[in-house]
Amino acid sequence: MTAVRDVRDGGAIAAVHRLERRPGRRSVVAVARGAGGGRCLMLNGHLDTVGHAGYDGDPLAPRVSKGRMYGRGALDMKGGIATVMVAAARATAGGRLRGDVLVACVADGEYGSSGTEEVLESFTLLGTGTVHASVIRGGEETSTHPAHRRVTLERRTVPGENADGVERELAGLLDRLAATVPDFRYRLIRGVHREPFEADPDAPIVRTLTSHAERTLGHPPVVRAEPFWTDCALLDRAGIPCLLFGADGEGAHAATEYVDLASLDRLTDVLTVTITDFCS
């Protein structure tokens, strides 16, 4: 971990750290120290996006239309990173808080979460599962059957499931194929595994944010299950109560992606008052 510099803004001093254990996978953590005696809060978001191939238009040219900003990562999650930075700057201005505020902009959120893993080494404080074949390789030509195929599967888990159970499930399916299909053999290799996450509704940070979100939005925030994995599971496993809360939009990982700009403003307001309340 390398401390880059100290930044003073309106009375708040933020120590900025750069982490890059894996070359090219850089994370940045800014720490605004409180006066002492208050609770600490980390706001975590990933810097990377999925690839640009297949995006409809220029994925890196932001386009605003009818209250929406379009572009790769606008929703997932450059918009969220922007709200986190603005809200943290507003809440820490003047040095009024007692607790520390950490803004962690991490690498590798779209795959192995190596950024959050590295951050946690230095800073300590749904429905059914799904499976899809994301990469398939094999064959030599269109007129012959391939003697060998390599298939990469992604099996998304939900709370209550684990890697051992998923491996047994897949092995059972493949065993049935091996018993019924002549000359079929397989070798199952476990890849990256991440545990599912479920926010604790009674955790202080969850109660605090939910209360302020309801006041800002004028109605209780929508609580729902998501089919994707996030760094929240790593934070939770490290003993840091957390939740996932974001802006409205559509198209994460799709050919067209946008974020609702009005929801970014509301998100910034919710985060600002949450930081101020939680860390005071």
Side-chain angles (χ1 to χ4, degrees):
M1 181 179 70
T2 303
V4 179
R5 63 188 183 278
D6 287 340
V7 180
R8 183 182 295 271
D9 181 14
I13 298 178
V16 182
H17 305 269
R18 182 180 64 196
L19 298 86
E20 194 175 3
R21 181 173 57 205
R22 295 177 58 192
R25 294 289 191 175
R26 178 179 300 174
S27 299
V28 178
V29 181
V31 184
R33 298 295 182 189
R39 294 180 294 194
C40 299
L41 180 64
M42 176 191 291
L43 298 102
N44 181 299
H46 66 84
L47 295 167
D48 58 322
T49 71
V50 294
H52 304 159
Y55 192 85
D56 184 12
D58 187 342
L60 299 182
R63 178 173 62 88
V64 176
S65 175
K66 298 181 180 179
R68 299 171 174 178
M69 177 175 285
Y70 292 81
R72 174 58 77 222
L75 175 66
D76 184 19
M77 62 168 297
K78 296 175 183 177
I81 288 285
T83 62
V84 161
M85 292 190 293
V86 172
R90 289 178 179 176
T92 59
R96 300 183 300 271
L97 302 183
R98 296 171 61 192
D100 299 343
V101 177
L102 291 78
V103 174
C105 301
V106 300
D108 198 34
E110 292 291 358
Y111 180 61
S113 298
S114 63
T116 292
E117 284 187 324
E118 189 174 1
V119 168
L120 289 173
E121 292 175 3
S122 304
F123 300 91
T124 56
L125 310 159
L126 196 188
T128 61
T130 60
V131 60
H132 72 273
S134 54
V135 181
I136 301 176
R137 297 188 179 95
E140 301 294 335
E141 56 192 357
T142 57
S143 59
T144 60
H145 294 288
H148 175 270
R149 299 179 183 90
R150 180 186 179 95
V151 180
T152 301
L153 299 173
E154 182 184 52
R155 171 63 162 83
R156 295 181 175 181
T157 56
V158 296
E161 295 181 324
N162 56 49
D164 291 338
V166 168
E167 185 169 337
R168 288 193 299 270
E169 171 191 281
L170 295 176
L173 293 173
L174 293 169
D175 286 341
R176 287 196 290 274
L177 284 175
T180 56
V181 178
D183 298 326
F184 176 82
R185 296 183 302 275
Y186 75 90
R187 182 161 61 106
L188 186 61
I189 302 172
R190 185 186 301 188
V192 175
H193 166 65
R194 298 301 186 192
E195 297 174 354
F197 164 76
E198 185 175 15
D200 178 4
D202 294 323
I205 183 57
V206 177
R207 294 200 308 267
T208 302
L209 186 140
T210 300
S211 174
H212 289 298
E214 184 168 354
R215 293 193 186 99
T216 300
L217 300 174
H219 58 80
V222 176
V223 178
R224 67 188 188 198
E226 296 289 1
F228 49 80
W229 191 89
T230 75
D231 288 2
C232 283
L234 291 180
L235 298 167
D236 182 66
R237 190 175 64 186
I240 303 173
C242 61
L243 74 160
L244 182 70
F245 184 70
D248 294 329
E250 291 184 5
H253 301 200
T256 301
E257 179 178 354
Y258 74 84
V259 65
D260 183 90
L261 294 176
S263 77
L264 286 182
D265 290 335
R266 294 190 294 269
L267 176 60
T268 303
D269 292 340
V270 172
L271 292 179
T272 300
V273 293
T274 297
I275 296 168
T276 303
D277 184 0
F278 190 81
C279 299
S280 293

